[in-house]
Amino acid sequence: HAGANKIVIVYRDMGNSQYGTAIVGTVSGNSISFGAPIVFNSKESSWTCPVYDPVANKLVFVYDSDGFGGTGEAVIATLDGDNLTFGTPTVFFQGEAVVYNARAIYDSVNNKIIVTYVETESYTVRFGRALVGTVSGNSITFGETVTFSWGNVLSPSGFLEPTTNKLVVIYQDVYNNGKGTAIEGTISGDSIVFDSPTFFSEYGIIDPSAITYDPGSKRVVFAYGEGSNKGIGNHYFFSYQEPNILETNLSEENFIGVSMGDYIDGSEVKVQIAGINADQENMAVGLQYVQPDGTLSSIEGSPSVLAGTATSSTNINVKDLV
């Protein structure tokens, strides 16, 4: 908890009916002292995970409320000294399926809380799910649940990569011999749009975790165990994955207009600086933004420049925002 210079640990208390419990720690020099344990869920609680929202100055606890059951919940915690008070829990999933591997991520770009989890009914098919939450006071509301994998997912772990404004989720893909898999998603309002997954390990992996971002090298860093191709056990690696970062001089001053057709490199290009351009494809109606690679998108990225308003899938009114 950066706002109070405290450490908050969330866990399932095996000595107290497996209740969801939190404890606050204070670091002094090379030692740490703890306050009294505080129960936040008087049910068997699994996959407890905290995340801090610095804008709201709140903690969000995500957990399975029924002990490998069918209720995924999130609750807002307010820290005062060594004490925590809690709002009313919000259910983000309830049904016959089992929820586990719940994880919470703070999106510093959009000021959102992203939750990833696994949902299964038979333990043979495990869907990878994600949803976006917004903290307001002592409550959190969630947008639609999005599926990033319809396969057999284990141990998803995610991080928001701030340079490209991408959510990066890594997981074990059981359907593909347990291969290490990564997928990127873009936050759009209260939802997420995912790209296609890619493999980062030829062999089966276990326990992908400790995912974070290194701003110096502009790389996502994570650890995982990898099964040997000789079947002699598992090796552990740190993996450095380069995000899809383009060097660009895109700015409002450098944006001239929209190309009037397809051109090859080195050829003369006609650019429409204003008015209706009918040479586009597959645009969503509404505001369109120029992306670092020169494409148009309805998603305002970082960086991006407002290009105009799309009136159809092929027509954009360049620099006209009405």
Side-chain angles (χ1 to χ4, degrees), residues 2-19:
N5 293 320
K6 298 283 187 177
I7 302 297
V8 179
I9 299 173
V10 182
Y11 59 98
R12 177 174 55 163
D13 190 343
M14 303 297 288
N16 184 29
S17 303
Q18 304 188 52
Y19 287 170

Side-chain angles (χ1 to χ4, degrees), residues 1-313:
H1 193 298
N5 293 320
K6 298 283 187 177
I7 302 297
V8 179
I9 299 173
V10 182
Y11 59 98
R12 177 174 55 163
D13 190 343
M14 303 297 288
N16 184 29
S17 303
Q18 304 188 52
Y19 287 170
T21 307
I23 194 168
V24 179
T26 303
V27 176
S28 177
N30 293 322
S31 63
I32 184 170
S33 58
F34 289 99
I38 304 164
V39 173
F40 64 86
N41 184 44
S42 299
K43 295 180 181 178
E44 183 178 344
S45 305
S46 305
W47 311 111
T48 55
C49 180
V51 67
Y52 176 59
D53 182 337
V55 174
N57 194 29
K58 301 287 186 180
L59 290 156
V60 182
F61 296 171
V62 175
Y63 53 96
D64 168 15
S65 180
D66 294 327
F68 298 94
T71 303
E73 292 183 356
V75 67
I76 303 298
T78 303
L79 179 63
D80 182 10
D82 289 335
N83 188 46
L84 290 164
T85 57
F86 301 95
T88 302
T90 298
V91 176
F92 62 83
F93 176 84
Q94 190 167 36
E96 297 298 326
V98 174
V99 173
Y100 63 105
N101 283 142
R103 294 290 183 267
I105 308 152
Y106 177 65
D107 175 359
S108 59
V109 176
N110 301 290
N111 190 29
K112 301 287 186 179
I113 302 296
I114 303 166
V115 176
T116 62
Y117 65 96
V118 174
E119 176 189 332
T120 183
E121 293 184 4
S122 61
Y123 290 99
T124 57
V125 178
R126 303 173 178 91
F127 301 137
R129 311 286 202 199
L131 68 166
V132 178
T134 303
V135 175
S136 178
N138 292 319
S139 65
I140 182 170
T141 57
F142 288 101
E144 64 175 329
T145 300
V146 179
T147 301
F148 62 82
S149 176
W150 292 96
N152 202 341
V153 173
L154 284 176
S155 303
S157 184
F159 192 82
L160 196 287
E161 197 283 285
T163 305
T164 59
N165 192 20
K166 292 280 190 176
L167 169 67
V168 181
V169 181
I170 59 172
Y171 58 93
Q172 178 184 356
D173 188 340
V174 180
Y175 274 173
N176 285 288
N177 299 315
K179 288 183 178 180
T181 307
I183 191 168
E184 289 185 337
T186 302
I187 312 303
S188 178
D190 290 327
S191 188
I192 310 173
V193 179
F194 282 101
D195 300 331
S196 298
T198 58
F199 297 127
F200 62 80
S201 173
E202 179 182 355
Y203 309 114
I205 69 165
I206 59 172
D207 299 329
S209 61
I211 185 168
T212 190
Y213 177 68
D214 176 9
S217 64
K218 296 182 179 179
R219 288 177 170 88
V220 175
V221 185
F222 53 90
Y224 60 94
E226 184 177 275
S228 168
N229 61 337
K230 297 180 181 180
I232 57 174
N234 295 304
H235 306 282
Y236 288 84
F237 297 89
F238 285 105
S239 180
Y240 296 80
Q241 300 294 323
E242 185 75 47
N244 183 22
I245 300 174
L246 299 175
E247 296 297 331
T248 179
N249 64 349
L250 178 65
S251 68
E252 291 184 5
E253 291 76 17
N254 291 340
F255 171 60
I256 300 172
V258 176
S259 169
M260 298 177 67
D262 295 328
Y263 299 91
I264 62 174
D265 290 345
S267 63
E268 184 177 295
V269 177
K270 292 183 178 181
V271 175
Q272 185 152 5
I273 62 174
I276 299 294
N277 178 287
D279 299 299
Q280 307 304 312
E281 295 180 352
N282 302 320
M283 291 188 302
V285 174
L287 296 180
Q288 291 291 313
Y289 299 86
V290 183
Q291 304 301 307
D293 61 359
T295 60
L296 295 176
S297 172
S298 60
I299 297 174
E300 183 178 4
S302 178
S304 65
V305 171
L306 194 54
T309 303
T311 56
S312 71
S313 62

